[in-house]
Amino acid sequence: MDDDTRGVRGTSADRVPGPAVPPPPTAPPPATAPAPSLSGLGAPAPPTGRAPTPPPTAAPVEQPSPEAPVDAWLRTPRPPQGPGVWRFGYTPPPPEEAEGVSDRSLLVGALISLLSALLLWSLWRNGYLPYRLVPLKLFTPGEWWNPGTSGGPRTIEGSDALTVYEAILFGLLAYGCGRIGNFSELFRRHVAGRGQPFLAVAAAVAAGFTQLLVWKETLPVVRPVLVLVASVAGGEIYQSQTVVNVIYGLIAAAVLWPFARLGRWRELIAARRVSPAPDPGSPPAPPTAASPDRWPELRAAGWTDAADTLTAEVRTGRMNDVDVARLRHAWTLATRRPDRLAPFAEAVLRTGGAAALHPSGHRDLPRRTARHDVLTGQVRIGRCAQDQHNPYVRRGTGLALDPTLLGTSLLAVGPPGAGKSARLIRPVVEALALRALAGQAAVLAVGAAGAPLGPDEAFDVVVRVGNPASAHDVDLYGGTTDPDEAAAVLAEGLVGDVGSLDSRRSATVLAQLLGPYRAAHDHFPSVPELRELLDGTPAAIAGLRAALEAAGHHAMLRELDARARQAGGPGDPAPVLADRVALLDRPAFAGFFATGPDARPFALRSLGQHPLRVRIDLPERGHAEASRLLTRLLLAQFTAITAARTDTALFACLVLDDATHAVTAETVRGIRRLRSVNAGAVLALRTVDDVPEALHTPLLGAVGCTAAFSGITTWDGKRFAEAWGKEWVETREVAQHTVFADQPFTRALHALRKLVTGKAVTTDAVTVRQVERERWSASELAYSVPAGHAVIRLATVEGEHAPPLLVQLDA
C-alpha cells in the first residue's frame, strides 16, 4: 500500500506487503474475530514495520455445502495414489475385463444350449436313448431290473434307484448346459449389471417360477429327496405329518437359497434399513474417536482443550478448508519447537479457527474456479478420457496437480484459445494462493494486463507495470545488494535471448558499472542512469568518477577504468545492453524501476521469506518487447533467488502465462535446479518455436511435467513424441488366404457360398508380436486431440512418472 510518510510505492524484501487493492466491505464468513498471526506458526508476522491491518474477508463462493460440511470433508478418504490422481474420495475402478463375446453371440449360444438340453432330456424321458440304464444296472442288484439292456425296474427298489438316477443326470445336464451356454456371463451382464432392486426382483421371479416347476414335479427334485430320506431313515418316518412338513419346508428353502444368494437379498435388506434421524440441532457424531475432525494429533500431545475448541469450530461451520490446512501446518511447525506449543494452544483457545492467520488476514479466496483439496494441495484440472492411449486404471479418474508435481516444473504448449490460461494456469494460481493462505507456499503470477489470473483481492501484491495507479513496482536487481549477482541476473534478462552475445561477458560489463555506482551512491542506478552509463555518456562517466574519487573507492575506480578501456572495442556488448535498457526508458514507464533511498519496489527475494501471493501485469499491448524483457528478467531472478535461499520450507512457484522468448540457456539450467530447493515454474507457450531451437531438447528435458493442448502443429507434436519416448505394444496382423478345395463336393460348397455371399472362401492367418511404438505420434497429437482436451505427462520430485494421459479439461 502507499507509504504516507515517504510517498513511494513499493515494498522491500523485509516487509510483508498488504493487499494492493483492499476488497470491498462484505460480510465475513462465520468465524471468530481474527487475531494477529503467530510468528513462525502458520504465516510469519512482518519482521519489521507496522503489521498490516487484516481487511474484511470476502465471503468465499465455494464453501463447504450443507451436504458436504468440513467435518465430512475431513473424514473423506484420500488414499495414496500415483502421480496426478485426484485423491479426494478416490475409488479404484473395477478389474479390467477381457474382451468377451458380443451380446448377440452370448444370447444365441445360451438359447442353442438350452434347446439342446431340452431335446436331450426329452429323448431321455421318452426312452429314445439306447443303453441309458446300463450304468445304473452296473451298480445295482440284477433282481431289481427286467432282462435286457432296455429293461425297466422290476421292484420298488429299482424304481427308487431310477428316480435318484434321473435326478443326478438332470443335475449334470443342467450344469453342463449352464457352462456350455455361458449362463453365468449372461446373468452377470444383463441381470446383475443393472444393480438393485432389479437384481433382487429378477431373482425373486426366477425363484417363484422354479418353485412352481419343482412342486409340479417338472423338475426332478421332490421325489428323489423323499426317496433318499426314506432309504436312510426308513419309510416309517413319513407316518408323521410334522416330519413331512419339515422335509417339504427344507426342500422349498433349499430351492430358494441359491436365488437369494444370486439376488443378494440380504444386502438389499441391510441397505434398506433406515437408521433413526439425528437431531437437526446437534452436530454429526464422527465415526471414531480418531477421526481427523477431532484433531487427534493435538489430543495425543495432551492439548485436549485446544482440540475440543477446533472440533467445535469444525462442527458448527465456523472453519473452512483453508483454516484446517493452515492450523494443521501451524501445528506441524509448532511441534518442531516445543516452546511454540503453548502459544499455539493459547491462540486456538482465544480465537479458534482464526488462529495463525495469514498476514493479509484473509481466510479464503474471494472466488474459486476449480475444485481444490487444500488438505493435500491438489487442484483438479480435468478427467482422464476413456481412450485407448490411457491405461485402464486411469480412465475416468480425475487429474490433479500439486506441489510434488509442480516442483518438477510444468511446460504447457497450445495455440491461443486452447484453454491454457483458463483451464490450467488459473487453477494452478488459485491452488498456490490457497496454499499461501495456509502458510505453505509463495506464488508469483506473471501475465499480460487483463490475463485471467485472478481478481486483485486474491493477491497480496499487484504490480501493474506502466500503470501510474500501481501501488508497487518491480526491482530490476531482484533486491540484492551484490553487484556481481545483480549484473548476472540483469544480463540474463536483457540479452539472454541474443545468441551472438555471451551472457558472462555482458554480466562483466554490467558489473563494471553497477559496482562503482553502488559504491558511490549506496544504491544501483535507475534505468535512465544505467542507459547513460552503458552508452558511455561523458558527463555520466565523469560524474561517477568524481564521486568515487571523493569517497576514496580506488578499487571501483579500476573497475570503471577497465570499462572505459573496453568500450567501443570489437564485440563490446555495451551498445546492445544500452539498446535493451532503452526499451524500459520510455515515457510510459516514467517513475517505474526507481532506485535510491526513497524507492523500495517489490523484490522477488521476499518470496522466499513469506507466503506471499503476487501478481505482475505486464504492458503487453504497445510494449511487447519490454514485456518479454521483463518476463525473461523475472524468470532469471526467480531461478537465481530460489536456488540461493537457505530456508526451503515454503514452496515457491513462478507462473508465466506467456513465456514467449523468456527461456534462455541459463534459465533452463536454473529450472532444472528448482526441484532440489522446493520450488517450481509453470511456463505457457503458444508453440515450442517461441524458444530458441537449440533449447528445445534441453527445455523438454528440464521440466518434469508437460502438457500438449489441442491444436498444436505436427512440428510441436514431434518434439513431444520424442520427449515422451516409446513403449512396447502387442500388434495383431491378420492375413486372409483363399481356400482351394481338392474334393468335388467341397468345391461345390465353396462355389455355392461364393454365389450367395459374393466373396471367396478365405481363412485368416493371425500374427501377434511385440513392437516398440511412440506413446503418442506427432500426427495424433496434432489431429486426434479433441477440443478442450490436452495430453499431459506428469512426474514427481521423488522420481515417479505417469505416462502421457489424454485429459478432458474442466471448464
Side-chain angles (χ1 to χ4, degrees), residues 247-551:
I247 294 175
Y248 285 165
L250 292 176
I251 293 175
V255 173
L256 193 63
W257 179 77
F259 294 98
R261 290 289 302 274
L262 290 176
R264 301 174 185 172
W265 295 351
R266 184 176 180 181
E267 298 177 8
L268 181 63
I269 294 173
R272 292 288 180 177
R273 290 178 181 174
V274 180
S275 58
D279 183 9
S282 62
T288 61
S291 296
D293 58 321
R294 289 182 54 84
W295 301 85
E297 58 271 20
L298 272 70
R299 299 182 188 276
W303 302 98
T304 308
D305 294 340
D308 291 338
T309 300
L310 293 179
T311 301
E313 294 273 300
V314 169
R315 291 183 177 180
T316 55
R318 293 196 296 267
M319 285 179 62
N320 59 19
D321 52 353
V322 179
D323 295 331
V324 173
R326 185 186 69 250
L327 290 175
R328 283 181 176 272
H329 178 66
W331 169 257
T332 302
L333 295 180
T335 54
R336 298 176 183 174
R337 295 183 59 179
D339 58 315
R340 296 183 178 181
L341 292 176
F344 174 83
E346 180 183 354
V348 168
L349 292 175
R350 185 175 66 255
T351 60
L357 271 182
H358 186 265
S360 66
H362 292 171
R363 298 173 63 176
D364 201 352
L365 299 179
R367 181 159 52 93
R368 303 187 190 182
T369 61
R371 291 182 60 187
H372 299 269
D373 185 19
V374 188
L375 206 59
T376 58
Q378 287 190 316
V379 53
R380 188 181 185 277
I381 63 172
R383 180 182 297 275
C384 296
Q386 298 286 347
D387 187 84
Q388 62 178 356
H389 288 91
N390 293 342
Y392 173 77
V393 295
R394 300 301 296 266
R395 296 175 190 173
T397 61
L399 189 84
L401 298 176
D402 58 68
T404 61
L405 298 171
L406 298 178
T408 64
S409 297
L410 186 148
L411 175 66
V413 178
K420 300 188 302 296
S421 298
R423 300 183 179 183
L424 179 64
I425 301 299
R426 174 78 180 266
V428 168
V429 173
E430 282 184 3
L432 294 171
L434 290 172
R435 203 160 180 83
L437 290 178
Q440 304 175 51
V443 57
L444 171 62
V446 181
L453 299 178
D456 295 349
E457 296 82 3
F459 296 92
D460 303 312
V461 175
V462 177
V463 181
R464 297 181 177 89
V465 180
N467 188 343
S470 176
H472 300 280
D473 200 349
V474 174
D475 188 353
L476 295 181
Y477 306 101
T480 183
T481 58
D482 184 1
D484 293 328
E485 181 181 350
V489 175
L490 185 58
E492 195 65 32
L494 292 176
V495 296
D497 61 329
V498 182
S500 59
L501 286 182
D502 186 2
S503 297
R504 292 174 294 183
R505 187 173 180 183
S506 301
T508 301
V509 171
L510 288 172
Q512 290 172 343
L513 296 174
L514 296 182
Y517 191 96
R518 179 169 180 79
H521 302 284
D522 199 28
H523 61 82
F524 290 119
S526 62
V527 169
E529 293 169 336
L530 179 61
R531 181 183 180 184
E532 291 179 353
L533 292 174
L534 289 171
D535 283 333
T537 304
I541 299 296
L544 178 58
R545 184 183 300 276
L548 291 174
E549 291 176 348

Side-chain angles (χ1 to χ4, degrees), residues 23 139 237 261 419 451 475 638 677 735 754 799:
F139 295 95
I237 193 174
R261 290 289 302 274
D475 188 353
F638 181 82
V677 292
K754 183 176 182 180

Side-chain angles (χ1 to χ4, degrees), residues 10 60 121 127 167 174 190 244 259 300 316 325 334 348 456 463 602 677 762 792 798:
W121 181 247
H190 295 284
V244 174
F259 294 98
T316 55
V348 168
D456 295 349
V463 181
F602 172 75
V677 292
T762 60
I792 302 178
E798 291 83 9

Side-chain angles (χ1 to χ4, degrees), residues 77 103 160 164-165 189 274 282 315 374 387 395 484 488 495 505 517 539 585 599 656-657 691 735 765 769 781 804:
D103 291 344
D160 293 342
V164 176
Y165 179 57
R189 188 179 299 183
V274 180
S282 62
R315 291 183 177 180
V374 188
D387 187 84
R395 296 175 190 173
D484 293 328
V495 296
R505 187 173 180 183
Y517 191 96
D585 189 17
L656 298 181
D657 186 56
V691 177
R769 59 180 179 177
L781 289 172

